[in-house]
Amino acid sequence: MTTDARPAEQENTRTPRSGLLRLLGPAFVAAVAYVDPGNVAANLTAGARYGYLLLWVLVAANAMAVLVQYLSAKLSVVSGRTLPELLRDRLRTPARLAYWGQAELVAVATDLAEVIGGAVALNLLFGTPLFTGGVITGAASMLLLALHNRAGVRWFEAAVVALLLVVVAGFVSGVVLAPPDPAEAAAGLVPRFAGADTVLLAASMLGATVMPHAIYLHSAMARDHHGAVHADRTRRVLRATRLDVAGALVLAGLVNISMLLLAASALRGVAGTDTLEGAHAAVLGTLGTGAGLLFAIGLLASGLASTSVGAYAGAVIMQGLLRVDVPLLVRRAVTLVPALVCLGVGVDPTRALVVSQVVLSFGIPFALVPLVRLTSDRALMGEHANRTGTRLAAAVAVTLVVALNACLLYLTFTG
């Protein structure tokens, strides 16, 4: 996008609708990471086992996600650089390599969830063997990444957003067919746990909602979408970014909450609903063929979109921290291997998805802490540095994540 050098006094004029629409998009691509198959597994498991008990986790996680994704985009808009690039310049080589190692582990865990989810969806729809479904999911994601390489970032954004809308239709429709109990849902907004397993699920839901790789990715997507932002346009772009993030994350939050509400209202107490296959069978039996078909299609769209976005995020992390440019398609082929190995040796797909989200939960502080520090740095951000209220909200978010993970570790090793 070319730089607009209009005078600063025009900054406060109303943005034409067509101009505003051109500024939207990056957050909707990042939002795909918030509705990937790992979310499906974690949210359905929580709802089927414990009803509305953990609804508060999704609400809190989505509120955190809005703040985090806005800070990620703001960092790039103001500085013109991605979060990994800025960290590269501030870390010594050993620390930078260690940081890249944990970020790469997060990217692998992300890809594991997304490919497995796509494979399960193909199995549900067509009876495709899981390993073959994983290969097909990986090949489809290569086509999406090839679209990015050949047609540019805008066409890639459009394709991913189209898949996101399919995900919305696939999962929100279930709640329309099986409305939740309002009183029980309201009770689920009160923070509480019911044993070690609910803490594990909460960490999984948090990791699946506030995803570390989406934090790295969004800073790159904002840079690629907006290009170099002249100082006179910064406020305008940041206003559009707030709208972009709010719209995208509200949509993603609606999908996540719908998953849990569907499981709590229609699948609770039904045998086998703690697996994706069992949940699909229960939806078929409870709500009918149409609902089951929409569920499987939504899961497939989720896997295809999120695995492409995950591969893109991994490339952003490696290039930014190590200055190593690996072609997207090559990286896609390499990172496909762990997921195919899991599928090939018969690892339980749903369990692998839930555990992968726990791994992501542990990666959140490593992305979130430096993001908050950088966006609070007045030397880097100037007048757009975080204000006191934003810093306090971010500190609360980091504290909650660290406390939940510490609790999870304690219960895991002492329970």
Side-chain angles (χ1 to χ4, degrees), residues 343-412:
L343 292 171
V345 300
V347 173
D348 176 62
T350 302
R351 184 64 180 174
L353 287 172
V354 173
V355 172
S356 72
Q357 304 313 296
V358 176
V359 173
L360 298 185
S361 180
F362 283 101
I364 295 171
F366 291 99
L368 191 52
V369 171
L371 174 67
V372 174
R373 293 190 63 178
L374 287 171
T375 51
S376 300
D377 185 349
R378 190 163 294 276
L380 176 66
M381 302 295 290
E383 63 178 308
H384 303 291
N386 294 337
R387 296 181 180 180
T388 302
T390 303
R391 290 198 299 271
L392 288 175
V396 169
V398 173
T399 301
L400 287 175
V401 171
V402 173
L404 182 60
N405 289 337
C407 185
L408 172 62
L409 280 175
Y410 175 78
L411 291 173
T412 298

Side-chain angles (χ1 to χ4, degrees), residues 65-348:
V66 172
L67 172 63
V68 168
Q69 294 305 138
Y70 173 66
L71 292 182
S72 176
K74 182 175 80 166
L75 178 67
S76 178
V77 168
V78 176
S79 72
R81 306 185 71 194
T82 69
L83 175 58
E85 287 172 344
L86 290 167
L87 288 174
R88 179 187 66 209
D89 295 341
R90 287 163 171 76
L91 295 175
R92 295 179 180 272
T93 299
R96 180 162 48 85
L97 291 175
Y99 191 94
W100 170 76
Q102 65 80 29
E104 197 66 47
L105 179 62
V106 162
V108 170
T110 300
D111 211 46
L112 180 73
E114 293 155 353
V115 174
I116 288 178
V120 170
L122 288 170
N123 178 262
L124 296 176
L125 286 168
F126 308 110
T128 308
L130 289 177
F131 183 84
T132 304
V135 173
I136 294 173
T137 301
S141 68
M142 285 185 176
L143 292 177
L144 276 175
L145 293 171
L147 176 67
H148 176 277
N149 288 343
R150 295 180 65 87
V153 67
R154 296 302 179 93
W155 283 101
F156 177 73
E157 287 177 359
V160 171
V161 170
L163 287 171
L164 175 61
L165 295 177
V166 175
V167 176
V168 174
F171 291 109
V172 175
S173 59
V175 176
V176 175
L177 295 172
D181 181 280
E184 290 192 45
L189 297 176
V190 179
R192 64 194 189 281
F193 294 109
D197 187 55
T198 59
V199 179
L200 174 63
L201 277 173
S204 179
M205 294 160 70
L206 182 66
T209 304
V210 186
M211 301 191 78
H213 79 286
I215 300 172
Y216 303 117
L217 171 71
H218 199 175
S219 64
M221 290 298 303
R223 178 200 61 188
D224 295 345
H225 185 96
H226 298 297
V229 178
H230 192 278
D232 292 340
R233 293 184 63 246
T234 300
R235 288 188 179 278
R236 178 190 177 203
V237 173
L238 288 178
R239 282 200 299 270
T241 297
R242 286 192 286 271
L243 290 175
D244 193 30
V245 171
L249 271 298
V250 166
L251 190 63
L254 175 65
V255 175
N256 280 317
I257 290 172
S258 295
M259 294 175 192
L260 187 143
L261 293 179
L262 171 63
S265 62
L267 309 182
R268 189 166 26 165
V270 179
T273 51
D274 55 349
T275 68
L276 289 175
E277 298 89 342
H280 177 255
V283 170
L284 277 174
T286 305
L287 303 178
T289 304
L293 181 62
L294 287 171
F295 178 96
I297 291 174
L299 180 61
L300 178 60
S302 169
L304 293 178
S306 56
T307 192
S308 305
V309 169
Y312 192 173
V316 167
I317 292 167
M318 180 174 284
Q319 193 283 328
L321 287 169
L322 303 184
R323 285 197 177 98
V324 175
D325 287 307
V326 176
L328 277 173
L329 296 181
V330 173
R331 182 178 177 86
R332 164 72 281 174
V334 172
T335 56
L336 186 61
V337 173
L340 293 181
V341 169
C342 287
L343 292 171
V345 300
V347 173
D348 176 62

